[in-house]
Amino acid sequence: MNAPASSPAAAPGPRRRLSRRTARTVTVVASCLAVLAAAAVVGVRTLRQEPTVTLLANWTDRDARYFRDTVLGPFERKYHVHVDYQGSSAESQVLSADVEAGTPPDVVVLTGPGELAAYAAQKKLEPLENLVPQGDFSESWATPLKGHVYWFPLKADLKSIVWYPGRLTEEQQRKKAALRPDQWCLGMGSGATSGWPGTDWIEDILLQQYGPQTYERWARGALPWRSKEVKGAWTTWRDMVGAGGPRDLVLRALRTEYQKASEPAAAHPPQCTLEHQASFVRTYPRWNDLRGSYEPSSRLIPRATARNAWEVSGDLVALLHDTPQARKLIRHLASAGAQRAWNAKESGFSVDTAAQPATDSTAPWHRSLARTLLAPDAVHCFDASDAMPPAVRDAFAQATIDFLADPHSLDGLLKNLDRLRSDENLTWLLSVCDHGS
């Protein structure tokens, strides 16, 4: 870059070459200054007695900044502990590599209890029952495993819902739209985790058609993929979204990132009107612009018989290194104050009843979803693929992509998933649903 004309560096004049001795002197001085600067930083941290705790989660960009400001910032100021935060959309892959290398983070936030159960079976996780007060979270969220609790939710989302533009006010209109594959806003892309929107569909269809008991048997690995119930969920999804149908419709779903699935709903005329997606999608700009409302998926899924049964998901906190500063961070993240702060911007929900926001502090849609998420008479089942062992979860996600492109491949896909399910080395959760009151 050229210096501006007013800068002394731009003034004309003869250039003098530095002597070798002078050059060496400058180099030595610069090196010393760099060492002193580094030592000063270390010294300041030592004088302030600020130990470090490492944290891995999936929040990046704006979400990461908000998390730092509202949750981590107050913790650092209160406890004088520095949080070395790493955010990655491929956190499962990052964590696996770090564990393999022997350098895992102290604390991790993952969406999959199945993945955490696998780490617990490898003795990579530390028990939390002495750090998180008993009764703060139900067993469907802090699932016991061999007598210990290894995770708890920082944020939760409600699934089993369908979003539609505010202008689509008539329920009959929505039911008619649900019968047209081209009216579903579907995006399967999600980087390293592509395909999970398809798993959400099949899980929810199974839950709504056959109820929580069948759903739980399947999510625990006790119901074969080739059973009539599970296979029926796949074929229902095929008919609803047009798997294997018009090429442009299938390609749109396969090539669209899930965050952009709703964009055709804002076109003139709209190219889709319904999106089967979790509660977090309502905070996206497109559904905000469209004044998105929601419908329970049970009203739109054919042959749905379950009532008041909901699929849920969450961001789960686990401890890998039991250090004093990591323990402090765990207690902080489990506190009502931290949970309330993180979920204050309608980014999600806390399922700690002590952390609920004031009734008038959020939008009506958010309050309505929160009531459903916390309703004691509702049945809440954790996202089945998230609860499955990682190898099965990943194969399931890929299978939905393959099936959407070619539904005739279903028998082979289900046979492969059954083969994975039979692996005796896998760790399955014993429970994924609460059963209401």
Side-chain angles (χ1 to χ4, degrees), residues 186-208:
L186 177 60
M188 297 286 283
S190 184
T193 58
S194 292
W196 69 257
T199 68
D200 276 9
W201 262 104
I202 292 163
E203 293 158 5
D204 194 25
I205 291 172
L206 183 70
L207 175 63
Q208 304 307 329

Side-chain angles (χ1 to χ4, degrees), residues 31 86 91 109 112 159 219 222 241 248 257 275 287 354 356 376 381 388:
S31 299
Q86 180 182 6
E91 63 170 336
V109 184
K159 298 192 172 186
V241 302
D248 60 337
E257 295 291 316
E275 183 174 10
W287 278 120
Q356 299 314 302
C381 294
M388 293 174 180

Side-chain angles (χ1 to χ4, degrees), residues 247-330:
R247 179 177 174 82
D248 60 337
L249 185 66
V250 173
L251 287 179
R252 183 178 78 182
L254 293 175
R255 293 175 176 175
T256 300
E257 295 291 316
Y258 79 92
Q259 304 98 321
K260 299 181 179 180
S262 60
E263 289 185 357
H268 299 284
Q271 297 176 20
C272 65
T273 54
L274 304 173
E275 183 174 10
H276 180 269
Q277 189 53 275
S279 51
F280 66 79
V281 80
R282 179 56 176 80
T283 63
Y284 286 14
R286 188 61 63 199
W287 278 120
N288 187 52
D289 295 341
L290 293 169
R291 296 182 295 109
S293 297
Y294 74 92
E295 184 91 67
S297 61
S298 59
R299 298 180 185 174
L300 302 179
I301 291 175
R303 300 177 299 283
T305 60
R307 291 293 178 267
N308 211 14
W310 306 83
E311 191 178 12
V312 297
S313 64
D315 295 308
L316 308 175
V317 181
L319 176 65
L320 288 92
H321 284 156
D322 189 0
T323 66
Q325 55 267 28
R327 282 173 160 258
K328 289 179 181 178
L329 182 58
I330 289 290

